Amino acid sequence: MLNRTVSPGTLFARHAETQVRAALEDTRIVAIVGPRQSGKTTLARRIAVDDGRPFITLDDEQFRRFAEDDPTGFVRSQPVAVIDEIQRAPALILALKKAVDEAPHPGRYLITGSVDLFRGALSPDSLAGRVDTIELLPFSQAEVAGAGVPEFLDRAFADDFPNLALTGPTDDLIERVISGGFPEALSRTVPSRRRRWLRAYARALAERDVPEISTVGRHVEMSRLIDHAAVASGQLLNLSALGSHLAIDGKTVDRWLTLLEHMFLVRRIRAWHRNRLKRLVRTPKLHFLDSGLLAALQGTGPADIARDRGKLGPLLECFVHAEIAKAIVLSDETTAVTHYRDKDRLEVDLVLERSPNQVVGIEVKAGGTVRPGDFRGLMRLARATGDRFACGIVLHDGDRIQRTGPGLFAMPVKMLWAS
């Protein structure tokens, strides 16, 4: 069995490091953003040591008080620095802007944040043209394996897969899905301890991190919202239904989910549509960004999946979405992610779009056998997109790549990261 455990302190190469170092060469401020415990601090500290930069974390109370009380003086005292968890002192953002405008040299500040700093309400002023923002999500499967940046996305948009190739099955697929990618969770050798850490992580977000970036005071309800969102993961989002469990209205749920999105816990996947196609469902889907966290919140382990294989489906879709999200961050091409569903209930789990209007459809199946009916949604998407359809892929728990029709493939899940 594949060992999914990561020893504490192990320094895995992060694919995003190349992007960060390149950005420091030509951009005044570089921001690494992503969920707490995704490895931002480890990466930033390593760059600080290599480059001889001061490393300052605002998790340190003394530094945080200095930054809050005198942001201009704080920045003036550190003309070049790595500043970790900058969302804990948002007034620094304006001070950084002023500093880099006065001395516009590239690579002055590397900052990290556990919220999407420049998409939410934390940033009091725009740093447009001054900052390059790079997402760092939990470990990808390729990073854990010590492999290079996956080529799956580029090959999919180029329709560049063999007609038939025996690849072997995806090793320990269930274990990969249940484990997720958070370094701290992977450092725990006992599965029950891993699940305990992940559930505590979710509670800490609701009880500590949310109050830092919002006036939401109902921490218990926020924690319960995360639990109910886990049940609804992979489904069409129903704000009213989620709110009914918590005795809050749909608008409040919408606002709270936005906070959770800014903290990289969940992501709403909007529906793919074209105005001329009236029969498409336009409701977004909800996805978590780590399948291990989702499994822990759902209380699903390998034994549960062994008894009921159907429990793997939503978790596997989450896992695939997360791997694709990590690959998109590393790509030079802008790639939008949507989902497809029409009034006939034909659907495609993930629709990827690149300029110039190229479309790839991804359908996820937990079984090892692919049937003709599994391609119905992809074929409907192909008709809707015409010449823009690059290819459609059914990812499954099988052992070979097989072309089943023009632009249609079935292949093992491991092709997301395997060469």
Side-chain angles (χ1 to χ4, degrees), residues 299-370:
T300 302
D304 302 295
I305 294 172
R307 288 190 296 268
D308 180 4
R309 184 78 177 188
K311 291 182 179 293
L312 178 61
L315 293 173
L316 183 59
E317 187 177 337
C318 170
F319 175 84
V320 169
H321 166 256
E323 287 296 304
I324 288 176
K326 294 164 190 174
I328 287 173
V329 169
L330 300 171
S331 175
D332 292 331
E333 301 287 342
T334 299
T335 306
V337 181
T338 56
H339 77 94
Y340 175 96
R341 184 181 175 97
D342 63 23
K343 301 294 185 181
D344 297 326
R345 295 182 178 271
L346 290 178
E347 58 185 350
V348 177
D349 293 325
L350 299 169
V351 179
L352 313 181
E353 289 189 86
R354 278 184 180 177
S355 180
N357 296 320
Q358 292 178 293
V359 175
V360 168
I362 306 288
E363 184 68 12
V364 183
K365 298 295 179 184
T369 302
V370 178

Side-chain angles (χ1 to χ4, degrees), residues 8 17-18 30 71 84 86 135 172 201 205 207 246 258 285 364 391:
E17 182 172 350
T18 300
V30 178
D84 188 44
I86 199 169
E135 283 188 11
D172 297 299
Y201 173 86
L205 289 184
E207 296 172 4
L246 308 172
T258 298
K285 290 171 69 172
V364 183
C391 77

Side-chain angles (χ1 to χ4, degrees), residues 218 221 225 239-240 242-250 252-253 256:
R218 301 166 68 178
E221 286 86 348
L225 174 62
L239 297 174
S240 297
L242 281 175
S244 66
H245 295 293
L246 308 172
I248 57 178
D249 58 38
T252 301
V253 173
W256 289 6

Side-chain angles (χ1 to χ4, degrees), residues 32-354:
I32 305 174
V33 300
R36 275 196 177 272
Q37 301 291 337
S38 64
K40 302 184 302 300
T41 299
T42 301
L43 175 57
R45 193 186 296 275
R46 182 162 65 211
I47 292 173
V49 170
D50 290 349
D51 295 356
R53 296 169 176 265
F55 179 88
I56 301 164
T57 177
L58 298 184
D59 279 338
D60 182 289
E61 185 177 358
Q62 184 174 340
F63 281 128
R64 186 169 66 254
R65 285 184 176 178
F66 180 14
E68 291 172 338
D69 294 343
D70 185 9
T72 300
F74 182 95
V75 171
R76 188 181 296 121
S77 70
Q78 302 291 344
V80 176
V82 175
I83 305 174
D84 188 44
E85 298 294 358
I86 199 169
Q87 81 281 349
R88 306 205 72 185
L92 277 183
I93 294 175
L94 272 178
L96 289 174
K97 175 182 179 294
K98 184 174 184 294
V100 300
D101 283 347
E102 292 173 349
H105 311 303
R108 287 196 59 188
Y109 295 101
L110 174 61
I111 62 178
T112 79
S114 295
V115 296
D116 196 340
L117 295 168
F118 309 111
R119 199 162 67 98
L122 265 188
S123 178
D125 194 62
S126 172
L127 287 175
R130 306 170 182 87
V131 64
D132 192 349
T133 303
I134 297 165
E135 283 188 11
L136 188 73
L137 299 175
F139 285 139
S140 69
Q141 296 300 302
E143 286 173 328
V144 172
V149 175
E151 299 177 347
F152 174 83
L153 289 180
D154 290 339
R155 297 189 68 178
F157 279 101
D159 188 17
D160 180 26
F161 295 107
N163 289 340
L164 183 65
L166 187 65
T167 64
T170 305
D171 295 333
D172 297 299
L173 177 60
I174 294 174
E175 182 67 15
R176 291 176 187 272
V177 172
I178 295 294
S179 298
F182 280 105
E184 188 70 22
L186 291 176
S187 72
R188 283 156 169 74
T189 59
V190 179
S192 62
R193 294 292 301 162
R194 185 179 297 166
R195 290 193 297 271
R196 183 182 180 89
W197 183 90
L198 287 164
R199 288 194 292 266
Y201 173 86
R203 286 196 305 273
L205 289 184
E207 296 172 4
R208 190 191 78 168
D209 290 40
V210 168
E212 286 188 351
I213 65 171
S214 171
T215 57
V216 173
R218 301 166 68 178
H219 307 151
V220 173
E221 286 86 348
M222 177 64 81
S223 185
R224 290 177 59 209
L225 174 62
I226 293 173
D227 290 336
H228 287 293
V231 175
S233 180
Q235 302 174 18
L236 296 180
L237 180 59
N238 187 327
L239 297 174
S240 297
L242 281 175
S244 66
H245 295 293
L246 308 172
I248 57 178
D249 58 38
K251 290 183 179 180
T252 301
V253 173
D254 181 53
R255 187 170 68 253
W256 289 6
L257 284 177
T258 298
L259 286 173
L260 296 179
E261 286 183 285
H262 288 167
M263 295 163 65
F264 301 94
L265 186 74
V266 299
R267 189 163 287 174
R268 277 180 272 201
I269 308 300
R270 65 180 179 85
W272 184 91
H273 66 84
R274 291 293 180 268
N275 290 334
R276 62 185 179 84
L277 299 173
K278 304 298 185 183
R279 292 183 54 77
L280 296 181
V281 173
R282 302 196 180 190
T283 307
K285 290 171 69 172
L286 186 68
H287 268 304
F288 275 68
L289 276 166
D290 185 77
S291 60
L293 178 60
L294 178 60
L297 291 171
Q298 290 183 346
T300 302
D304 302 295
I305 294 172
R307 288 190 296 268
D308 180 4
R309 184 78 177 188
K311 291 182 179 293
L312 178 61
L315 293 173
L316 183 59
E317 187 177 337
C318 170
F319 175 84
V320 169
H321 166 256
E323 287 296 304
I324 288 176
K326 294 164 190 174
I328 287 173
V329 169
L330 300 171
S331 175
D332 292 331
E333 301 287 342
T334 299
T335 306
V337 181
T338 56
H339 77 94
Y340 175 96
R341 184 181 175 97
D342 63 23
K343 301 294 185 181
D344 297 326
R345 295 182 178 271
L346 290 178
E347 58 185 350
V348 177
D349 293 325
L350 299 169
V351 179
L352 313 181
E353 289 189 86
R354 278 184 180 177

